Amino acid sequence: AEMFGQLTTGLETAWNKLRGVDVLTKENIAEPMRDIRRALLEADVSLPVVRRFVQSVSDQAVGSGLIRGVRPDQQLVKIVHDELVKLMGGEVSELVFAKPGPTVMLLAGLQGVGKTTVCAKLAFYLKKLGKSCMMVAADVYRPAAIDQLNILGEKVGVPVYAEGTDVKPSEIAKHGLQEAKKKSIDVVIVDTAGRLQIDKSMMDELKEVKKALNPTEVLLVVDAMTGQEAAALVTAFNIEIGITGAILTKLDGDSRGGAALSVKEVSGKPIKLVGRGERMEDLEPFYPDRMAGRVLG
Ligand code: GDP
């Protein structure tokens, strides 16, 4: 299924009810607004976000009056589009680079969300922007994670710094950064250990790694398939360790859209990048306007 497919169809129900009306009124938008509300909830957008969204769209719709050459249903589509863009943060949120380098980008996230894959994709993405990169394997709980990073590093032509599983992650990270400085590497990307759920030892470890590195970017990798839960995770990690943004993975799956639509509003932190596939090329900036365009079909 196409991502947002169900949401797009749900919203179409709303516009269709406004065919033939002369002007948007409180009365004639009532039912379409209920359709919009239902479509967003079914897409797994969190309730407070849906409430604010619907309120803002209704206020604008009722106040919008007649616009020459624009049908009222199209007028509502435009209002929803602009409000969706705003909801997702408006502008693209660019990655920040430290001057002088190296820039440290710390990746965090629960197990299985695609963190290790993102690590390599990000290195590949930055390499294409002309930056030299190094990846640091600070996930010491799964030896397989280090192997996986080595294989991916080879695939994208980016060196991997690893010290096995017997050294503390914060120490590995520190040594990796020293190595990167020696080699005048532009960006150091640090892969950390995930857990199945948030727990104190993971958060403590991340805090320690963060303290050792003073990273410019702390990016939480979240899985789009988890809907509004992704937004809740971004909030929790931000409160606990302080993050600069999120990377949303698995947008190529049949996620309903709740994560893309909720993260910024719920957590205050932007989605900076999205992963939409298993190939190394499948990572790109998060464009709120393009995303809104896709939602509206
Ligand atoms: P980690 O435990 O967070 O490090 O997760 P991995 O990087 O090992 O990824 C878990 C699985 O998700 C792997 O099978 C990846 O190939 C897959 N994966 C990661 N990102 C994406 C994505 O954007 N789309 C799809 N379809 N699969 C992905």
Side-chain angles (χ1 to χ4, degrees), residues 43 95 197 259 273 293:
L95 289 172
Q197 286 168 347
L273 299 159

Side-chain angles (χ1 to χ4, degrees), residues 110-117 121 142 148 249-250 252 275-278:
L110 297 183
Q111 216 170 78
V113 295
K115 187 162 33 61
T116 303
T117 312
K121 282 179 176 175
R142 289 188 309 142
Q148 192 189 350
T249 60
K250 306 187 190 179
D252 53 316
R276 48 171 79 256
E278 297 191 71

Side-chain angles (χ1 to χ4, degrees), residues 102 104 134 136 161 163 170-185 188 212-213:
V104 177
M134 174 188 266
V136 175
Y161 184 87
E163 289 185 37
S170 59
E171 289 298 312
I172 298 174
K174 228 185 290 177
H175 302 156
L177 179 55
Q178 281 163 3
E179 181 81 3
K181 279 181 181 158
K182 258 190 252 159
K183 294 186 171 159
S184 301
I185 298 275
V188 182
L213 291 174

Side-chain angles (χ1 to χ4, degrees), residues 109-117 137-150 152 162 164-166 169 191-196 205:
L110 297 183
Q111 216 170 78
V113 295
K115 187 162 33 61
T116 303
T117 312
D139 178 352
V140 297
Y141 300 99
R142 289 188 309 142
I146 301 175
D147 298 339
Q148 192 189 350
L149 204 59
N150 274 319
L152 292 173
T165 55
D166 294 332
D191 188 21
T192 59
R195 303 277 199 281
L196 288 175
E205 185 179 296

Side-chain angles (χ1 to χ4, degrees), residues 3 18 24 30 51 53 65 90 126 137 145-146 152 157 164 197 218 224 229 239 241 245 274:
M3 190 189 57
L18 288 166
L24 299 173
R51 283 209 182 111
F53 185 91
L126 293 171
I146 301 175
L152 292 173
Q197 286 168 347
V218 181
E229 176 59 20
I239 290 169
I241 59 169
V274 293

Side-chain angles (χ1 to χ4, degrees), residues 9 18-19 41 66-67 96 105 119 136 187 235 241 243 287:
T9 314
L18 288 166
R19 285 290 164 79
L41 287 173
L66 270 177
I67 301 175
V96 177
M105 299 191 179
C119 213
V136 175
V187 186
T235 307
I241 59 169
I243 64 170
Y287 298 103

Side-chain angles (χ1 to χ4, degrees), residues 10-257:
L11 292 173
E12 270 163 10
T13 320
W15 330 136
N16 288 339
K17 286 180 183 156
L18 288 166
R19 285 290 164 79
V21 309
D22 300 325
V23 65
L24 299 173
T25 65
K26 195 164 184 290
E27 288 69 34
N28 67 21
I29 66 162
E31 215 186 310
M33 290 314 303
R34 275 196 293 277
D35 294 331
I36 293 173
R37 178 189 160 92
R38 189 177 313 118
L40 290 170
L41 287 173
E42 278 170 6
D44 204 22
V45 179
S46 70
L47 183 59
V49 173
V50 173
R51 283 209 182 111
R52 273 197 297 279
F53 185 91
V54 167
Q55 188 63 54
S56 175
V57 169
S58 337
D59 291 349
Q60 292 174 64
V62 173
S64 63
L66 270 177
I67 301 175
R68 267 174 84 91
V70 183
R71 293 198 325 249
D73 60 327
Q74 292 169 338
Q75 218 165 299
L76 187 63
V77 173
K78 171 80 167 68
I79 293 167
V80 168
H81 173 273
D82 292 351
E83 202 60 27
L84 284 173
V85 174
K86 226 166 83 186
L87 184 63
M88 289 184 275
E91 296 294 305
V92 177
S93 208
E94 308 271 359
L95 289 172
V96 177
F97 296 93
K99 277 184 204 134
T103 301
V104 177
M105 299 191 179
L106 180 61
L107 298 187
L110 297 183
Q111 216 170 78
V113 295
K115 187 162 33 61
T116 303
T117 312
V118 159
C119 213
K121 282 179 176 175
L122 182 57
F124 186 68
Y125 173 82
L126 293 171
K127 209 178 147 187
K128 280 189 290 184
L129 295 182
K131 313 257 182 209
S132 59
C133 298
M134 174 188 266
M135 297 191 278
V136 175
D139 178 352
V140 297
Y141 300 99
R142 289 188 309 142
I146 301 175
D147 298 339
Q148 192 189 350
L149 204 59
N150 274 319
I151 291 166
L152 292 173
E154 223 154 271
K155 200 162 159 184
V156 296
V158 169
V160 174
Y161 184 87
E163 289 185 37
T165 55
D166 294 332
V167 184
K168 260 172 57 173
S170 59
E171 289 298 312
I172 298 174
K174 228 185 290 177
H175 302 156
L177 179 55
Q178 281 163 3
E179 181 81 3
K181 279 181 181 158
K182 258 190 252 159
K183 294 186 171 159
S184 301
I185 298 275
D186 297 323
V187 186
V188 182
I189 303 166
V190 182
D191 188 21
T192 59
R195 303 277 199 281
L196 288 175
Q197 286 168 347
I198 288 186
D199 69 25
K200 187 171 180 302
S201 70
M202 171 178 60
M203 289 300 189
D204 286 347
E205 185 179 296
L206 280 170
K207 281 180 207 169
E208 214 177 298
V209 173
K210 188 183 172 190
K211 206 169 140 204
L213 291 174
N214 190 24
T216 301
E217 292 281 4
V218 181
L219 299 163
L220 184 72
V221 183
V222 285
D223 182 340
M225 305 293 283
T226 60
Q228 60 172 307
E229 176 59 20
L233 278 175
V234 175
T235 307
F237 273 79
N238 186 43
I239 290 169
E240 197 68 31
I241 59 169
I243 64 170
T244 56
I247 299 179
L248 195 58
T249 60
K250 306 187 190 179
L251 248 76
D252 53 316
D254 55 357
S255 79
R256 291 171 290 166

